[in-house]
């Protein structure tokens, strides 16, 4: 396997430096590393230059994509990649030494076109107790080798056959400021027959930034997640997008919004984390409904 590892980065030089150290220590290093900086001020350039001066066990391609759009940035990284396989990791994650080797092994073991792995959140020491009890940042984990359900497909830790990313724009620029470009791409690939499986051993860690330890951030992320689900549903990514399917989506979201709103105050005596759980459910279902009147929360704007 000839593997290009792609990183889209935006104003996280300290996090990127730590990740580069992790990648240098991989038991199976990438055959090349592609870093595309979405910051017009090129905040990652000095970090990359410093690590190159120390020495890295693989060639590095660094470039800028100055237009604020995560899809355009990812597309540029794919265009620069020369490998037969392309792995992706976020610029704020940490990769244990065996990470890439485990992804590659899973490709071979399961004859997969793509492999996803878990992103394990790491809360800072000052995280509030209700945040810790709520487990709001956890991903659903699956059995290794199990096909990943369409509504669980996302980036952050995966490898894909490069031939699946053909064309000038595999990531839809319409998702460039809202997010959701990863789920859109992966569900399209799954619909076209790509075999995408899980590898539970290929763990990466994501230190949770202090700015995300707030109720407001959790509600905004839940709202965006609901919008992503509705947009993918309306695009036919999860099955039929007939008029009946759209009506069922609206009715179900409205009913779940009402139920979650009612359960929020009722659950508060049992702990703040329970109330916040239902608040995020309400926000997610509100997000589904807002798609029908054309409003999209632009998280990356």
């Amino acid at each position: 396997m000839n593997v290009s590892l792609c990183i889209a980065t935006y104003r996280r030089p300290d996090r990127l430096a730590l990740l580069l150290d992790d990648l240098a220590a991989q038991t199976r290093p990438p055959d090349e590393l592609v870093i595309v900086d979405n910051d017009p001020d090129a905040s990652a350039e000095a970090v990359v230059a410093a690590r190159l001066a120390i020495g890295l066990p693989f060639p590095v391609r660094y470039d800028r994509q100055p237009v604020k759009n995560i899809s355009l940035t990812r597309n540029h990284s794919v265009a620069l990649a020369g490998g037969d396989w392309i792995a992706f990791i976020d610029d704020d994650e940490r990769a244990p030494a065996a990470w890439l080797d485990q992804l590659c092994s899973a490709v071979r073991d399961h004859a997969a076109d793509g492999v996803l792995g878990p992103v394990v959140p790491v809360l800072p020491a000052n995280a509030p107790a209700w945040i810790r009890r709520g487990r709001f940042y956890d991903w659903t984990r699956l059995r290794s080798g199990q096909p990943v359900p369409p509504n669980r497909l996302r980036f952050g830790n995966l490898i894909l056959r490069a031939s699946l990313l053909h064309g000038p724009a595999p990531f839809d620029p319409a998702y460039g400021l809202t997010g959701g470009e990863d789920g859109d791409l992966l569900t399209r690939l799954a619909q076209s027959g790509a075999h995408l499986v899980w590898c539970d051993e290929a763990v990466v860690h994501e230190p949770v930034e202090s700015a995300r330890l707030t109720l407001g951030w959790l509600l905004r992320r839940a709202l965006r997640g609901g919008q992503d689900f509705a947009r993918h549903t309306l695009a036919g990514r999860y099955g039929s997008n007939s008029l009946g399917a759209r009506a069922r989506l609206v009715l179900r979201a409205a009913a779940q919004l009402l139920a979650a709103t009612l359960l929020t105050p009722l659950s508060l005596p049992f702990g703040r984390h329970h109330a916040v759980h239902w608040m995020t459910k309400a926000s997610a279902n509100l997000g589904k409904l807002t798609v029908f009147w054309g409003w999209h929360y632009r998280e990356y704007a």
Side-chain angles (χ1 to χ4, degrees):
M1 296 176 65
N2 186 287
V3 180
S4 299
L5 176 56
C6 291
I7 302 173
T9 188
Y10 180 75
R11 294 184 179 176
R12 284 174 171 158
D14 295 338
R15 296 290 184 96
L16 180 63
L18 293 172
L19 175 57
L20 291 179
D21 290 342
D22 290 346
L23 298 180
Q26 292 292 298
T27 57
R28 194 283 187 213
D31 296 282
E32 69 170 355
L33 178 63
V34 178
I35 301 173
V36 176
D37 193 347
N38 197 203
D39 182 4
D41 297 327
S43 55
E45 187 171 18
V47 171
V48 175
R51 287 306 182 273
L52 286 173
I54 296 172
L56 289 170
F58 39 73
V60 177
R61 299 187 185 189
Y62 169 83
D63 202 1
R64 280 182 282 173
Q65 192 294 108
V67 180
K68 198 166 191 182
N69 186 300
I70 183 62
S71 296
L72 295 180
T73 306
R74 291 198 191 277
N75 285 337
H76 191 50
S77 71
V78 169
L80 293 175
D84 299 320
W85 293 83
I86 301 181
F88 297 87
I89 189 170
D90 287 348
D91 61 350
D92 60 343
E93 294 173 350
R94 303 296 307 275
W99 164 68
L100 188 56
D101 191 22
Q102 289 166 328
L103 282 182
C104 293
S105 295
V107 166
R108 294 187 291 266
D109 292 345
H110 304 292
D113 297 307
V115 176
L116 288 76
V119 177
V120 176
V122 179
L123 294 173
N126 65 339
W130 65 271
I131 289 277
R132 293 187 178 279
R133 288 195 291 267
R135 303 180 68 88
F136 298 108
Y137 309 90
D138 288 1
W139 283 30
T140 299
R141 295 180 69 164
L142 305 172
R143 185 184 68 255
S144 290
Q146 182 177 347
V148 183
N151 63 342
R152 301 294 183 189
L153 291 167
R154 57 171 288 182
F155 268 51
N157 176 8
L158 82 159
I159 189 169
L160 288 171
R161 193 184 299 274
S163 59
L164 296 176
L165 303 173
H166 57 80
F171 297 93
D172 188 345
Y175 291 89
L177 294 180
T178 63
E181 80 294 339
D182 51 349
D184 172 70
L185 171 65
L186 291 174
T187 51
R188 281 190 278 120
L189 295 180
Q191 279 187 319
S192 67
H195 184 42
L196 307 176
V197 305
W198 186 260
C199 177
D200 204 53
E201 294 77 27
V203 173
V204 300
H205 298 95
E206 181 181 31
V208 179
E209 300 174 9
S210 296
R212 296 184 175 186
L213 301 174
T214 66
L215 175 59
W217 188 90
L218 291 172
L219 294 179
R220 290 190 297 272
R221 176 52 65 96
L223 184 138
R224 202 209 88 184
Q227 290 190 333
D228 288 350
F229 180 86
R231 292 174 78 181
H232 299 336
T233 299
L234 295 178
R237 303 285 184 251
Y238 303 142
S240 171
N241 62 345
S242 65
L243 182 60
R246 293 170 179 237
R248 286 191 294 274
L249 174 61
V250 170
L251 293 174
R252 186 165 57 247
Q256 292 174 344
L257 170 60
L258 177 60
T261 301
L262 293 174
L263 286 168
T264 295
L266 294 176
S267 62
L268 184 57
F270 301 98
R272 183 178 177 183
H273 61 294
H274 288 299
V276 173
H277 167 81
W278 290 113
M279 290 176 72
T280 58
K281 294 294 184 184
S283 185
N285 283 287
L286 177 62
K288 296 173 187 177
L289 295 174
T290 60
V291 167
F292 285 89
W293 62 76
W295 179 74
H296 301 296
Y297 168 53
R298 303 197 303 168
E299 181 172 359
Y300 298 110

